[in-house]
């Protein structure tokens, strides 16, 4: 079992040479890039918005519950929500959701193409399928996922506002004061670094699982599941290493 | 001309091809026939370069395809068209986009030229006007014809067809066979068809290679089939009791060739 993972890792590393080979036709790759940007960005926007609103809302209510009756000023809750959303929740939760949503779709799409001989047909035409099927997805995700994460962070902070101010937990002035307090721009850099890294991980893992799928529909389902599971694990692992690297 | 030289192929412990030597002749309809599991598809995929042989070589004229570098392989692939068993048409694209795809990817043709070429090949396969439809909106036989149209759109020198008659009714099968044979003659291309369809063998088999359990069991052409004394070919061709009775009756009247029959 361990050997299989090692063999897969070796196969993945060797495969990168094909993925990053010079495209045969930039125009066709560009068209595919735009399609992927639309699919990843617009396609995932509703679920990202929904999750971000509730993440912000739950964080505020939870912290209000924890800090109520203490000497900590209420505006700190706004500050905590902002930093939690920017540093951790927006990039990580958004990418975990995208690994489930976009990642499984990519694995199934490419795996389906493998099974229906679409990939063979493209190879016979002389196309480098590793590059054509993966590179536009990678570039699209590296561009679009950070945008989605930024939107998630803003919407999360708004969600916190909606859950607290109208409910009378504290005033609008206190929440806004918290959001504006102790702002460190470097945290946004950390968020963007995480977003790009997670985007590359989720696309690479998903495409790899789909591209090398063998067998029938059961194997395709298993590949799709593996794409999500391995994607999630690697996102969590890399999250830890990025935090350690960027905060020490 | 494509030549298979001492081709062996092994998947794990299973040896699928055991030393195939065969020459697929230029400008002819070459058939690879045999029962299911004989190794036909594996041989076809080795010839086209989708599988690497465990041992042996594939020659495209004087070029050793099995030992070419990436550039050389790409150069040959640009001269190859292939019809897949399941058609391999891209579901999310229209028929026109499917056929245009190789042109979009590899040629500097203008949009007008591409449109004209798409119409031309669709007319050639008697499917004029289906351009805006999706593969799921046309029948299996039409999908095969679209597959052929896509395979010939870049005017290949070599046409490979993997089970072109599978899943088709006998009449549509004949249409597909005739179409492939006509295109082979008109364009003077080398066509290699992998089939177990008896009608294809008797109608378009100009150069036939019979495989049995990964070995070459017989070679010849359609005119030599009826008079064969090869047991493997006889068992394969006349697997249908009805056909055997018919041929026995014909043979008893001294008719041993297709024309006589």
């Amino acid at each position: 079992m361990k050997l299989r993972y090692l063999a897969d890792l070796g196969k993945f590393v060797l495969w990168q040479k094909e993925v990053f080979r010079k495209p045969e036709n930039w125009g066709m790759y560009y068209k595919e890039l735009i399609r992927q940007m639309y699919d990843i960005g617009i396609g995932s926007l509703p679920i990202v918005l929904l999750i971000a609103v509730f993440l912000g809302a739950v964080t505020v209510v939870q912290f209000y519950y924890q800090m109520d009756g203490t000497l900590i000023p209420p505006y700190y809750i706004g500050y905590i929500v902002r930093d939690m959303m920017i540093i951790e929740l927006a990039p990580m939760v958004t990418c975990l959701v995208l690994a489930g949503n976009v990642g499984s779709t990519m694995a199934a799409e490419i795996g389906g193409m493998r099974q229906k001989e679409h990939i063979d047909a493209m190879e016979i035409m002389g196309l480098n399928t590793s590059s054509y099927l993966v590179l536009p997805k990678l570039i699209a995700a590296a561009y679009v996922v950070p945008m989605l994460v930024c939107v998630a962070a803003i919407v999360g902070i708004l969600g916190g506002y909606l859950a607290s101010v109208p409910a009378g937990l504290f005033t609008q002035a206190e929440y806004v004061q918290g959001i504006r307090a102790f702002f460190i721009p470097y945290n946004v850099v950390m968020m963007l670094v995480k977003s790009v890294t997670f985007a590359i991980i989720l696309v690479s893992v998903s495409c790899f699982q789909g591209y090398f799928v063998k067998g029938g529909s059961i194997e395709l389902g298993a590949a799709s599941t593996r794409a999500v599971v391995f994607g999630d694990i690697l996102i969590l692992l890399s999250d830890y290493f990025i935090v350690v690297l960027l905060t020490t | 001309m494509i030549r298979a030289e001492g081709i062996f192929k092994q998947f794990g412990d299973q040896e699928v091809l055991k030393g195939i030597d065969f020459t697929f002749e230029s400008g002819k309809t070459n058939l690879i026939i045999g029962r299911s599991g004989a190794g036909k598809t594996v041989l076809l995929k080795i010839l086209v370069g989708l599988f690497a042989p465990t041992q042996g070589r594939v020659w495209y004229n004087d070029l050793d395809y099995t030992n070419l570098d990436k550039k050389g392989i790409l150069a040959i692939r640009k001269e190859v068209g292939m019809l897949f068993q399941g058609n391999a048409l891209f579901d999310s694209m229209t028929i026109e986009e499917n056929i245009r795809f190789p042109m979009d990817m590899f040629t500097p043709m203008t949009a007008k030229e591409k449109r004209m070429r798409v119409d031309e090949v669709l007319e050639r396969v008697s499917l004029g006007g289906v351009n805006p439809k999706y593969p799921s909106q046309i029948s299996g036989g039409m999908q095969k014809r679209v597959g052929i149209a896509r395979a010939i759109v870049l005017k290949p020198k070599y046409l490979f067809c993997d089970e072109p008659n599978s899943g088709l009714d006998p009449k549509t099968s004949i249409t597909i066979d005739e179409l492939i044979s006509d295109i082979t003659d008109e364009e003077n291309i080398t066509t290699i068809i992998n089939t177990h369809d008896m009608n294809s063998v008797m109608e378009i088999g100009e150069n036939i290679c019979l495989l049995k359990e990964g070995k070459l069991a017989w070679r010849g052409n359609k005119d030599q089939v009826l008079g064969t004394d090869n047991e493997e070919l006889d068992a394969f061709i006349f697997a249908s009791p009805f056909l055997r009775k018919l041929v026995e009756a014909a043979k008893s009247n001294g008719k041993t060739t297709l024309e006589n029959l």
Side-chain angles (χ1 to χ4, degrees), chain A residues 117 120-121 123-126, chain B residues 2-4 7 24 32 40-53 58-60 65-66 68 72-74 76-84 156 158-162 190 192:
Chain A
E117 297 181 309
D120 286 347
E123 291 274 346
I124 296 296
M125 290 173 197
Chain B
I2 298 175
R3 187 156 55 88
I7 299 288
F24 299 91
I32 303 171
K40 305 187 297 290
T41 299
V42 174
L43 178 58
L44 192 83
K45 288 191 172 179
I46 286 175
L47 292 176
V48 85
L50 286 174
F51 288 158
V58 174
W59 296 85
Y60 277 66
Y65 188 45
T66 28
L68 282 178
I73 290 172
L74 279 179
I76 287 202
R77 285 196 171 165
K78 299 240 164 95
E79 297 182 338
V80 167
M82 184 157 178
L83 171 65
F84 285 83
Y158 309 98
L159 178 63
F160 291 83
C161 304
D162 187 12
T190 305
I192 300 176

Side-chain angles (χ1 to χ4, degrees), chain B residues 128-142:
Chain B
V130 300
N131 311 44
K133 292 192 174 175
Y134 284 88
S136 60
Q137 294 173 315
I138 58 176
S139 70
M142 289 163 89

Side-chain angles (χ1 to χ4, degrees), chain A residues 11 25 33 46 60 65 70 81 97 122 147 165 170 180 184:
Chain A
K11 196 173 10 172
N25 182 327
L33 174 69
V60 162
Y65 168 72
T70 66
V81 169
V97 170
M122 288 178 175
M147 291 182 203
V165 176
F170 35 76
R180 298 179 65 179
I184 305 167

